[in-house]
């Protein structure tokens, strides 16, 4: 595992050695792709365009947010900013890394929440846009634009998280794959016909299950706040 971490650190060095203008770009990407933006920006916009799509974005965002927390409790995962010092790598070789205000994230790092939640929640919106474009244009290249933009966004989000030392590359890849799989799977089970009470009940159930899982893990002697 150390070899994987060291490779990730060197990859972050390469990213940080890029042109200065890229720094603002990566910071902007990671800020705009913050999971809370799914609920404050993407959901309202999607709902305005199409109610079912909006509900699907909210539903996948909610479930993926919950699952990401649970996965991090069981998968743990180091954070590059902390690992490079705690592992002793910084004292063994010259490591040229820069710190940013958002670098010092605490808590487990696997899988990346930015990649997983964004990948899942935007899947219904991307498929809806792809269907809309397919009805209006015959060109295969034009039909692929929404999906292509989705892939490019996820890649940019993943690279931004590595650049800022918030995640290792393998945590980003895991987050993207989990997000895409969740979005694809949950879209077919969107509870679009349910009343608001269903979502309130579901949210409370997920919240209480988190507390229960947290208590069970602590009782088992696992320190998830390491």
């Amino acid at each position: 595992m150390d070899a994987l971490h060291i490779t990730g650190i060197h990859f972050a060095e390469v990213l940080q050695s890029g042109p200065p203008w890229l720094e603002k770009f990566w910071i902007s990407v990671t800020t705009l792709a913050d999971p809370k933006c799914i609920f404050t920006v993407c959901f309202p916009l999607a709902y305005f365009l199409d109610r079912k799509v909006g509900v699907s974005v909210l539903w996948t965002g909610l479930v993926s947010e919950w699952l990401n927390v649970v996965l991090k409790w069981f998968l743990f995962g180091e954070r590059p900013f902390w690992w490079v010092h705690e592992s002793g790598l910084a004292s063994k070789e010259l490591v040229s890394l820069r710190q940013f205000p958002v670098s010092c994230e605490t808590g487990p790092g696997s899988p990346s929440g930015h990649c997983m939640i964004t990948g899942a929640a935007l899947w219904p919106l991307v498929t809806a846009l792809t269907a809309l474009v397919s009805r209006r244009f015959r060109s295969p290249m034009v039909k692929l634009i929404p999906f292509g933009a989705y892939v490019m966004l996820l890649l940019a989000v993943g690279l931004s998280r590595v650049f800022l030392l918030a995640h290792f590359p393998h945590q980003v890849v895991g987050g993207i794959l989990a997000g895409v799989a969740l979005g694809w799977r949950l879209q077919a089970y969107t509870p679009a016909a349910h009343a608001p009470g269903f979502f309130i009940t579901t949210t409370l159930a997920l919240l209480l299950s988190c507390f229960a899982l947290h208590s069970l893990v602590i009782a088992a002697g696992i320190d998830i706040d390491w």
Side-chain angles (χ1 to χ4, degrees):
M1 200 66 182
D2 282 349
L4 192 61
H5 288 150
I6 293 173
T7 302
I9 292 296
H10 292 326
F11 183 65
E13 285 184 289
V14 173
L15 284 178
Q16 290 193 356
S17 65
W21 62 268
L22 268 178
E23 178 180 323
K24 291 184 179 180
F25 173 74
W26 294 131
I27 293 176
S28 298
V29 168
T30 204
T31 301
L32 293 173
D34 190 284
K36 65 175 175 286
C37 292
I38 294 296
F39 304 100
T40 60
V41 178
C42 295
F43 161 63
L45 288 176
Y47 192 88
F48 175 77
L49 295 173
D50 185 278
R51 181 183 180 277
K52 185 176 181 179
V53 175
V55 172
S56 189
V57 169
L58 177 63
W59 175 248
T60 53
L62 176 69
V63 176
S64 59
E65 177 87 51
W66 172 83
L67 186 57
N68 183 256
V69 171
V70 173
L71 285 176
K72 284 181 176 177
W73 286 349
F74 290 95
L75 297 179
F76 294 106
E78 299 279 355
R79 296 277 188 172
F81 175 79
W82 306 104
W83 183 87
V84 71
H85 299 289
E86 294 174 351
S87 65
L89 180 65
S91 61
K92 296 177 183 177
E93 60 179 85
L94 179 62
V95 180
S96 301
L97 292 173
R98 286 180 291 144
Q99 175 186 351
F100 302 92
V102 293
S103 293
C104 309
E105 289 197 29
T106 58
S110 188
S112 166
H114 276 66
C115 295
M116 180 175 171
I117 299 166
T118 300
L122 291 186
W123 180 267
L125 184 59
V126 170
T127 53
L129 289 175
T130 301
L132 178 63
V133 170
S134 298
R135 288 196 297 267
R136 298 193 176 189
F137 301 94
R138 294 183 178 181
S139 172
M141 295 300 296
V142 176
K143 294 178 181 179
L144 289 174
I145 288 178
F147 185 75
Y150 172 75
V151 171
M152 294 300 293
L153 174 63
L154 290 183
L155 288 176
V157 173
L159 290 174
S160 74
R161 303 304 288 163
V162 176
F163 176 87
L164 296 170
L165 305 181
H167 290 287
F168 286 99
H170 68 277
Q171 297 170 345
V172 163
V173 172
I176 290 175
L177 294 177
V180 173
L182 267 176
W184 169 74
R185 188 62 180 169
L186 290 175
Q187 185 180 17
Y189 299 97
T190 299
H194 289 69
F198 168 82
F199 294 99
I200 295 174
T201 303
T202 302
T203 301
L204 289 174
L206 294 176
L207 178 62
L208 292 175
S209 67
C210 273
F211 281 121
L213 282 172
H214 185 278
S215 300
L216 287 173
V217 171
I218 295 298
I222 302 174
D223 181 13
I224 61 175
D225 296 320
W226 59 276

